Amino acid sequence: MQDPLSHLPGYALRRAANAMLSELSSRLAAVDLRYADASCLILIDANPAITASALGRALDIQRANMVPLLNRLEGAGLIARTPLDGKSQSLSLTDTGRARLAEARTIIDAFELDLLGMVPAEHRDHLLPALNALWQ
Amino acid sequence: MQDPLSHLPGYALRRAANAMLSELSSRLAAVDLRYADASCLILIDANPAITASALGRALDIQRANMVPLLNRLEGAGLIARTPLDGKSQSLSLTDTGRARLAEARTIIDAFELDLLGMVPAEHRDHLLPALNALWQ
DNA sequence: ACGACATTGTTATGTTATATAACAAATGGG
DNA sequence: CCCATTTGTTATATAACATAACAATGTCGT
């Protein structure tokens, strides 16, 4: 089968991201978290009292789409929303949330190692800077 | 803002792929094609009389999800489905499809150049092999 | 201090991509 | 020739992402 697509960086980027996301998602399912959930927990942990919209901006998720996401995390008892000034609300991890995040980190760290392990050594150190240049 | 996520290859991969896909999609909209449409046209062109399910396998798209995709391409007059053996059907580009593909190629080629141009020179040649190692 | 303007959280809604299960019809290997 | 597999298809569900609108609130310039 002729595959002219593999020569296109954009196509390879898409396929690689899909494969990665699918594998990571299934591993995170073991602790009942989605990819976006884990990202939120990590970012809230690193930025205590961050605002819902600031979190959305950091993750490039629209305000409107943060609502069901945060509802789910709050419903699972992982985060708490505290009114900040009548308009904004500050987000924080509950104890349960911190514990779950610790579990997620174990999974994620192992995953990232496996991911980099798939890349031939001579290309490995170039991957992260190259990828970050594409969006940051 | 603390951003522990940018250090994670998996996260960078996701963000880069999203940024790429969003930009390419909006450029392809100029010729009324989606990302998946363009991929199909390219692959059908490179593999004349390819079967619908073989195309789906090559693109990692489920058989069931190929149906609306191919319906759309056929409805737009870009491809033709020809019964092959009573069970399979062979796909081919119409003249309109070939012309549209030529337009798409111009857009895609320019896009891939721009994409690689965003990557610092010292990392550039490592991107494609690194990405392909992650899924192929 | 006030008024114009921007921001926040939210609801509602739509689209795209992707997943599974089921089906009839047809193929192909043993 | 039979049985497992493949093909195209329908129906359906979920996740991710987008837009528009809204009320309430904050902010900034004057």
Side-chain angles (χ1 to χ4, degrees):
Chain A
M1 147 99 54
Q2 285 301 105
D3 183 9
L5 294 173
S6 313
H7 305 300
L8 302 178
Y11 180 76
L13 183 52
R14 183 95 221 278
R15 291 296 295 263
N18 278 355
M20 177 280 298
L21 187 61
S22 138
E23 170 66 17
L24 178 54
S25 294
S26 82
R27 293 199 195 184
L28 282 176
V31 292
D32 200 32
L33 287 178
R34 295 182 196 173
Y35 175 89
D37 296 343
S39 313
C40 283
L41 295 185
I42 291 176
L43 230 55
I44 295 174
D45 185 58
N47 298 275
I50 192 177
T51 270
S53 54
L55 181 58
R57 259 185 311 259
L59 293 170
D60 196 31
I61 299 177
Q62 315 270 331
R63 258 187 352 248
N65 295 326
M66 292 300 295
V67 179
L69 208 177
L70 295 178
N71 282 346
R72 182 156 30 89
L73 292 177
E74 192 182 35
L78 303 179
I79 65 167
R81 295 195 246 212
T82 312
L84 196 61
D85 63 357
K87 190 172 66 161
S88 308
Q89 58 192 203
S90 83
L91 303 173
S92 56
L93 296 187
T94 62
D95 288 343
T96 312
R98 254 180 297 272
R100 191 72 64 86
L101 173 55
E103 299 181 284
R105 269 197 227 277
T106 304
I107 292 174
I108 293 172
D109 290 349
F111 171 76
E112 299 287 352
L113 271 183
D114 291 349
L115 190 73
L116 281 182
M118 297 177 70
V119 179
E122 70 266 32
H123 305 307
R124 201 168 294 151
D125 293 342
H126 297 276
L127 183 60
L128 188 61
L131 290 176
N132 278 334
L134 293 180
W135 69 274
Q136 272 179 341
Chain B
M1 147 99 53
Q2 285 303 105
D3 184 10
L5 295 173
S6 313
H7 305 301
L8 302 178
Y11 179 76
L13 183 52
R14 182 99 221 277
R15 291 295 296 262
N18 279 355
M20 177 281 296
L21 186 61
S22 139
E23 170 67 18
L24 178 54
S25 295
S26 83
R27 293 199 195 183
L28 282 176
V31 291
D32 199 33
L33 287 178
R34 296 184 194 173
Y35 175 89
D37 297 343
S39 313
C40 284
L41 296 186
I42 291 175
L43 229 55
I44 295 174
D45 184 58
N47 299 275
I50 191 176
T51 270
S53 55
L55 181 58
R57 257 183 314 256
L59 293 170
D60 196 30
I61 299 177
Q62 314 271 331
R63 248 171 342 155
N65 294 326
M66 291 299 296
V67 179
L69 208 177
L70 295 178
N71 282 345
R72 182 156 30 88
L73 292 177
E74 191 181 38
L78 303 178
I79 66 168
R81 294 194 244 211
T82 313
L84 197 59
D85 62 359
K87 189 172 68 160
S88 310
Q89 57 193 204
S90 83
L91 304 173
S92 57
L93 296 187
T94 62
D95 289 344
T96 313
R98 255 180 297 274
R100 190 72 63 85
L101 174 54
E103 299 180 282
R105 270 198 225 276
T106 305
I107 292 174
I108 292 172
D109 290 350
F111 171 76
E112 300 287 353
L113 270 184
D114 290 349
L115 191 73
L116 282 182
M118 297 178 69
V119 178
E122 70 267 32
H123 305 306
R124 199 168 295 150
D125 292 342
H126 297 276
L127 184 59
L128 188 60
L131 290 176
N132 278 335
L134 293 179
W135 68 273
Q136 271 178 340

